[in-house]
Amino acid sequence: MTAIGLIDCNNFYVSCERAFDPKLVGVPVVVASNNDGCAIARSNEAKALGVRMGDPIHLIRDRLDKHGVVVRSSNYTLYGDMQRRVVAAVEEFASEVEIYSIDESFLDLAPFADRDLTVHANGMRDQVRRWTTIPTCVGIGPTKTLAKVANAAAKKNPLFDGVADLRDPAIRAFVLDRFPVADVWGVGRATAAKLATLGVTTAGQLRDMQLKQARGLGTVVLERLVAELQGVAASVVEVVEPRRKGMAVTRSFGAPVSDLETLMGAVAQYAMRAGEKLRSHGLVAGQLTVFFHTNPHRRDLPQHHGSRRIALHPMTADSLELLAAARRGVEAAWRDGPAYTKAGIMLDDLVAEEQRPRTLFEGDVDRRARLMTALDEVNGRFGRFTAVPAAQGFAREWRMRAEAKSPAWTTRIAEVPVVSAR
DNA sequence: TCTGGGGTCCTAGGACCC
DNA sequence: TCTGGGGTCCTAGGACCC
């Protein structure tokens, strides 16, 4: 019998922060996005105060201060390492684990389906908690979409106490009839609005929609979604990582940038990072897009959105080639005057290094590849951007804000927590 | 003063071909 | 005035996810 599980960490970033700082337990905590811009994780206490996902911190500052909400800058090194530990704790409880996002994994539970899966899931949650302190919820169903619904029910409805198994048709119907259609995985704002005009407001009503009608209203994506709600699997638990199609390094600046040289400095660093990322995946890129733009929320200020796409011949993962292409793009798209607040590099047409098409006249590729390997080794060992090209220009006025970032508790020896006993 | 940073998939429509 | 009937490939943009 098919049984798909979804384990999801509760308020993951906040829980990671709490794992190493007990002062944060029991008080309202918010983790801010890069640049301390928006609220992207909230403790239950913060949710109860009305802090919503994506709220700009500066707009809710007063409320945060009034209620003593602790705001932490995001610390992705910590969260990434904690994810690894959560997955390790889960592995023995499933035959396959598909890491879906930094805080969620799909599980193939079929081999365990003859036992009580609620007991099984609770054993898994206990192990995650023992190994990482992170609280989780588990949803179980015959398809991924139903496992997602189950997970949300497990989290929201105290009746389930952290684990919901929707394989039983009666329980499933009970939950779907009370589940807002807008909260279904894959139903966003636009689709929810269209469904509302048809009077479809619950997941149960969407389940009962004709497949053809679903396709007409949305696309094949909505049709598959309806099938999954009916218990017919349209996707499976995927273990192998799919080949990446694109890759990006983009950042908002800590302060607006109006001069070309400073912007170049930022873009240069993103290009170096993009190259590093490509090489770590063993890929080369055929196309690079560089962009920079002003603050779109400030309609009162002059706006400019500069962007250039540059073909990379030959395809490459060489940081210096990416850097040169990015510079050309910025120069071509530059406009004097506006204050820019964000820039980025996007790479497309990604191909595995071994499958890179060879061209004539590509120079001494091996020598450059060795240089890049050396660069990665130095930076891997001594910290990112220890070795950089001399022309990079390392003025850092644009560097993003992170005013309340926790230490790299688990990944830097100088920052591991010290425990003393007497 | 201050609004994240990644990704995926699908479709429509244009360019081009015979 | 009137203007076929297929294809393919590519790109931009929308919608969605966390």
Side-chain angles (χ1 to χ4, degrees):
Chain A
M1 182 183 180
T2 67
I4 295 175
L6 178 70
I7 182 164
D8 174 294
C9 299
N10 301 348
N11 315 330
F12 182 57
Y13 298 169
V14 169
S15 298
C16 289
E17 297 291 338
R18 282 177 168 169
F20 292 92
D21 189 351
K23 285 197 305 290
L24 301 179
V25 177
V27 303
V29 180
V30 162
V31 174
S33 63
N34 270 335
N35 224 21
D36 294 344
C38 304
I40 52 168
R42 306 147 299 148
S43 70
N44 290 343
E45 298 84 358
K47 286 177 188 171
L49 292 171
V51 179
R52 283 163 310 178
M53 183 70 180
D55 275 350
I57 299 290
H58 78 273
L59 293 182
I60 58 171
R61 187 88 248 177
D62 290 349
R63 194 146 39 102
L64 296 177
D65 289 347
K66 186 172 141 206
H67 293 101
V69 178
V70 180
V71 179
R72 281 287 167 92
S73 305
S74 36
N75 183 348
Y76 290 102
T77 311
L78 174 65
Y79 311 149
D81 189 59
M82 292 297 276
Q83 173 197 35
R84 201 177 48 74
R85 291 160 197 261
V86 169
V87 171
V90 158
E91 254 153 11
E92 70 186 78
F93 292 88
S95 57
E96 310 280 13
V97 178
E98 174 190 337
I99 298 171
Y100 173 66
S101 75
I102 197 161
D103 67 337
E104 285 170 81
S105 292
F106 284 106
L107 313 167
D108 187 343
L109 300 176
F112 309 95
D114 54 344
R115 357 182 154 164
D116 184 337
L117 280 183
T118 302
V119 173
H120 182 77
N122 274 318
M124 174 167 64
R125 296 170 74 212
D126 287 344
Q127 176 134 309
V128 173
R129 214 187 243 284
R130 277 198 308 276
W131 290 18
T132 68
T133 78
I134 307 277
T136 57
C137 285
V138 176
I140 299 160
T143 65
K144 282 179 160 181
T145 303
L146 286 167
K148 279 286 251 183
V149 170
N151 186 273
K155 199 169 285 187
K156 272 190 284 190
N157 191 335
L159 207 68
F160 290 114
D161 200 21
V163 180
D165 183 352
L166 298 190
R167 287 176 305 157
D168 180 282
I171 299 176
R172 186 153 84 226
F174 177 88
V175 169
L176 288 180
D177 286 342
R178 287 158 186 77
F179 199 86
V181 77
D183 294 348
V184 173
W185 186 41
V187 176
R189 246 200 345 231
T191 306
K194 278 193 230 168
L195 289 170
T197 64
L198 298 177
V200 174
T201 59
T202 70
Q205 287 173 298
L206 183 58
R207 170 204 58 207
D208 294 338
M209 186 180 265
Q210 296 293 314
L211 291 178
K212 258 196 175 151
Q213 191 187 8
R215 189 174 194 138
L217 191 80
T219 65
V220 64
V221 176
L222 190 63
E223 184 184 1
R224 288 202 281 250
L225 200 160
V226 172
E228 288 240 328
L229 284 176
Q230 292 171 355
V232 179
S235 65
V236 293
V237 177
E238 305 266 11
V239 193
V240 286
E241 237 181 280
R243 202 171 67 80
R244 265 168 180 274
K245 307 218 160 55
M247 206 177 258
V249 178
T250 71
R251 293 282 180 282
S252 294
F253 305 138
V257 168
S258 298
D259 68 291
L260 178 57
E261 198 183 330
T262 307
L263 184 81
M264 280 291 193
V267 165
Q269 184 167 319
Y270 304 163
M272 297 302 288
R273 174 69 191 125
E276 210 175 271
K277 221 165 139 178
L278 268 182
R279 295 190 295 278
S280 77
H281 287 85
L283 297 168
V284 293
Q287 190 170 275
L288 175 146
T289 305
V290 59
F291 73 86
F292 52 94
H293 62 74
T294 44
N295 182 351
H297 304 286
R298 292 293 301 273
R299 301 249 171 81
D300 53 317
L301 295 178
Q303 297 282 316
H304 179 52
H305 188 131
S307 149
R308 283 293 184 281
R309 203 174 59 219
I310 290 149
L312 300 168
H313 300 303
M315 299 178 87
T316 188
D318 184 319
S319 291
L320 300 179
E321 299 286 346
L322 301 179
L323 175 51
R327 281 182 184 282
R328 269 185 286 138
V330 170
E331 265 158 23
W334 177 257
R335 186 186 295 173
D336 257 325
Y340 299 104
T341 54
K342 180 172 178 171
I345 302 267
M346 298 188 287
L347 301 169
D348 285 293
D349 294 355
L350 307 188
V351 167
E353 215 282 325
E354 321 79 78
Q355 285 156 26
R356 181 171 71 91
R358 302 285 154 170
T359 59
L360 292 169
F361 315 119
E362 37 181 63
D364 193 343
V365 176
D366 286 345
R367 192 159 159 260
R368 285 296 280 271
R370 286 199 301 277
L371 174 61
M372 287 303 122
T373 306
L375 192 70
D376 291 340
E377 267 169 24
V378 169
N379 288 334
R381 192 149 160 211
F382 300 105
R384 194 160 281 166
F385 303 123
T386 303
V388 298
Q392 189 168 324
F394 251 66
R396 295 285 209 102
E397 304 89 276
W398 47 269
R399 205 169 34 178
M400 70 183 186
R401 275 186 303 273
E403 282 173 5
K405 186 166 164 182
S406 48
W409 296 114
T410 60
T411 51
R412 276 186 78 90
I413 194 70
E415 299 181 14
V416 297
V418 175
V419 179
S420 44
R422 289 194 288 183

